[in-house]
Amino acid sequence: MSEPDAGRAPTPESAPAPLPPQEPSPQELSTQESAPQESAPLAPPATGARRLSPLTPLVRAPIVLLAVLGGSWQSLLSGGIGPGALAVVALVLAGGAYGVASWLRTTYWIHDDELRIDTGVVSRQSRRIRIDRLQGIDIVQPLVARLVGLAELRFDTASGSGREGTLAFLPHREAVALRAQLLRRRDVSRGAPAGNPGLGVPGAGVTTTPEPWPGPPFRLPEDLPRPAPTAASPGTGPAGADPAEWPITRQPDRELARLDLGLLVASTLLSPTAVLFVLGGGALLAGSLLTGAPLFAGGVVPALIGTGIALFRQFSAAYGFVVSESEEGVAVRRGLTNLTSQTVPLPRVQGVVVSEPVMWRRFGWARLEVSVAGAAGADDATFSSSTLLPVGPREQVLWLARHVLEGEDLTTVPLVPVQRRARWAAPLWWRTLAFGQDARYAVSRRGWFTRRFDVVPQGKVQSVRVTQGPWQRRLGLATLHVDSPLGRVAVRADERDAAEARALAATLVERGRAARHAPGRDRPDEATTAPL
């Protein structure tokens, strides 16, 4: 692309043409940070072909070095420079050359209604992501990338089967600007107003602004209407310009909840993983004392190492957990080594789960998780991307669940326990089984070691099923399944009377139909619901 001829003197017959905004260089971008509280306009990135940050090969190099040194550290420590050391040098040089070539061959740009990403050194791959199908864009900063001011963008689309694509790595400020620009284009392509993503769009963002969590003593704050866009808000743009290209002005995020470090440490030590380790280690120790066999050293030590790694990953993923209200929905920032920023669009929340492990119930702690339509699964095996609050006071968790569902208090839904004959089908936990519904929600309770409450709005129910196993048919029992989009939420009425289960299913069908046709209901394409 050629530079514009900005130095030409204007002729008397023509007025000087306005100069296009100058883009900062990658070095300037990498040294700037964009905090959520900053309200200065962010210049949208250019739509021409762009490359990733030149520092991308250096960010990925430590992974290659650790993998190579892990297999040859003994030879290097012994001081012998033989075939092994030469192989290490050759692998490092080859990996560096491949990293530079991969960076040169990776480009991205916005073309019409698509984000195109071309990658590959030997085998070329061109991935095209439809902007109107984007469900979420997460910003992730691994440890090495944070040190040099880079970030990775991860894209979720309506398929929900996994990450549709990534851009790793960009300067942090450029990643923030590109994310905002893609969300703006998505809203414009869906026919939404051209303000900030989700601002003032029914079903496309936060429509109310609650006060932050007030803390003990618990009180439920009144919802305050969001102020209308002012001259400082992006409600207007240059005459004749594409609304998707208007300057982006971020409104300050409003913090809803922040995870206390002491609470995180205590809850991690009392988590089900730690409790199971203590119980299993105690059983092995007792066996070793009774039999005299070295079961303790042979069984507990490896388990201790594995449990310690799992607990550290759990702690690291939830460290610094902050929940805020942004213009796109509920924003989550978390991470000790890998900093992750993700946004949960409220209209796409299909339900919530409130979990209470047995060791937490004595202290009144709970966890909040959500199911989001079209979102990818867990980022790793220890921490799910659907977690909206890893641990907190139960009242705070219920308050946040109410805000996410944009409804009323969940505890007002009456729960009906199962009949006594259900103990023959679930002898250990039949007392914990309960189900309830009203015009707004369907709620189920189950579990003893980890008690969980699954909640789904009636308008988000996709189908209802009643199943019976051989033993259930003999006892006259049945299980009612309330199906919603794939996710953490699984509303289920276990071990109910067969006639009662069918009556509950019929009631759910009628209430779901009424909820979907209620005044003020979100558009079907925004709520992703299907008729029963």
Side-chain angles (χ1 to χ4, degrees):
M1 298 177 62
S2 61
E3 293 290 333
D5 191 4
R8 184 193 312 171
T11 62
E13 293 79 14
S14 62
L19 295 178
Q22 295 293 331
E23 289 186 7
S25 63
Q27 291 77 12
E28 295 173 342
L29 288 171
S30 63
T31 58
Q32 300 176 3
E33 294 292 333
S34 62
Q37 294 79 12
E38 187 176 358
S39 58
L42 297 176
T47 56
R50 302 286 297 270
R51 283 198 175 95
L52 303 176
S53 170
L55 300 178
T56 298
L58 296 179
V59 174
R60 293 174 171 172
I63 302 176
V64 178
L65 290 176
L66 290 177
V68 173
L69 293 178
S72 58
W73 61 274
Q74 291 181 344
S75 300
L76 296 178
L77 290 179
S78 62
I81 303 179
L86 294 177
V88 170
V89 174
L91 288 175
V92 171
L93 294 177
Y98 184 85
V100 174
S102 177
W103 170 74
L104 291 174
R105 299 282 285 174
T106 300
T107 56
Y108 71 94
W109 66 93
I110 299 175
H111 178 69
D112 294 336
D113 59 347
E114 295 179 336
L115 172 64
R116 179 169 172 175
I117 305 174
D118 289 356
T119 58
V121 177
V122 179
S123 177
R124 296 290 291 168
Q125 179 182 12
S126 180
R127 183 182 296 272
R128 302 187 181 188
I129 304 174
R130 286 180 52 185
I131 297 177
D132 62 332
R133 302 294 289 175
L134 286 173
Q135 307 302 324
I137 305 176
D138 298 343
I139 299 178
V140 181
Q141 288 186 280
L143 179 60
V144 179
R146 290 173 64 185
L147 297 177
V148 293
L150 301 184
E152 175 186 1
L153 287 180
R154 297 179 180 178
F155 305 99
D156 291 334
T157 60
S159 63
S161 58
R163 300 291 180 187
E164 181 66 22
T166 63
L167 285 177
F169 294 87
L170 299 172
H172 184 235
R173 185 174 177 84
E174 184 177 344
V176 173
L178 178 59
R179 177 185 181 276
Q181 182 70 9
L182 290 173
L183 292 178
R184 169 74 60 79
R185 286 176 169 268
R186 181 199 65 183
D187 290 346
V188 171
S189 64
R190 293 177 178 177
N196 277 351
L199 180 60
V201 183
V206 182
T207 57
T208 59
T209 303
E211 299 176 1
W213 161 244
F218 174 77
R219 63 182 178 88
L220 194 63
E222 297 294 334
D223 289 340
L224 301 177
R226 178 184 289 276
T230 62
S233 300
T236 59
D242 185 359
E245 302 294 341
W246 288 356
I248 301 169
T249 303
R250 286 193 56 84
Q251 299 295 328
D253 293 351
R254 292 172 173 86
E255 184 175 311
L256 301 178
R258 180 181 293 269
L259 180 56
D260 180 72
L261 180 59
L263 178 59
L264 174 60
V265 174
S267 62
T268 302
L269 295 178
L270 295 177
S271 63
T273 302
V275 172
L276 290 176
F277 168 74
V278 171
L279 295 178
L284 289 176
L285 178 60
S288 64
L289 294 177
L290 293 176
T291 61
L295 296 178
F296 179 76
V300 175
V301 173
L304 178 62
I305 297 175
T307 304
I309 295 176
L311 293 178
F312 175 78
R313 294 181 64 186
Q314 179 180 336
F315 171 83
S316 175
Y319 179 84
F321 204 100
V322 178
V323 184
S324 304
E325 181 190 38
S326 69
E327 295 164 352
E328 298 89 9
V330 175
V332 173
R333 289 173 58 88
R334 60 177 176 88
L336 177 61
T337 56
N338 292 352
L339 181 60
T340 302
S341 301
Q342 60 189 92
T343 302
V344 178
L346 295 188
R348 295 202 166 272
V349 174
Q350 306 299 302
V352 301
V353 181
V354 179
S355 304
E356 298 175 289
V358 61
M359 297 300 294
W360 290 9
R361 292 201 287 267
R362 181 176 180 180
F363 304 97
W365 301 339
R367 176 191 297 113
L368 178 62
E369 298 171 287
V370 297
S371 286
V372 181
D379 290 338
D380 50 62
T382 61
F383 198 87
S384 174
S385 59
S386 63
T387 303
L388 203 58
L389 190 61
V391 61
R394 190 174 188 271
E395 293 82 1
Q396 183 183 21
V397 169
L398 293 176
W399 172 82
L400 188 57
R402 171 199 167 180
H403 172 65
V404 169
L405 294 177
E406 300 179 296
E408 300 180 10
D409 189 5
L410 307 178
T411 59
T412 59
V413 180
L415 295 179
V416 181
V418 297
Q419 300 181 5
R420 288 188 58 85
R421 70 173 182 270
R423 69 184 186 274
W424 299 107
L428 298 181
W429 55 85
W430 69 277
R431 295 181 183 274
T432 68
L433 302 178
F435 180 82
Q437 61 171 313
D438 58 11
R440 303 160 299 153
Y441 307 116
V443 184
S444 67
R445 183 193 69 194
R446 64 181 182 274
W448 177 84
F449 189 73
T450 298
R451 185 171 59 193
R452 55 181 289 165
F453 295 84
D454 295 76
V455 184
V456 61
Q458 294 281 7
K460 302 296 180 72
V461 176
Q462 291 192 331
S463 65
V464 176
R465 297 178 291 119
V466 177
T467 60
Q468 275 186 304
W471 185 240
Q472 285 182 315
R473 287 197 296 269
R474 183 174 183 84
L475 297 175
L477 302 176
T479 298
L480 171 65
H481 302 267
V482 182
D483 297 328
S484 57
L486 182 65
R488 300 289 296 175
V489 179
V491 177
R492 192 172 70 235
D494 292 315
E495 316 305 341
R496 314 297 298 193
D497 179 79
E500 178 191 8
R502 296 186 181 91
L504 290 174
T507 304
L508 281 169
V509 171
E510 294 298 328
R511 287 178 169 172
R513 184 179 296 112
R516 285 189 297 276
H517 293 85
R521 171 71 180 142
D522 295 332
R523 295 176 297 174
D525 57 335
E526 294 292 341
T528 63
T529 58
L532 294 172

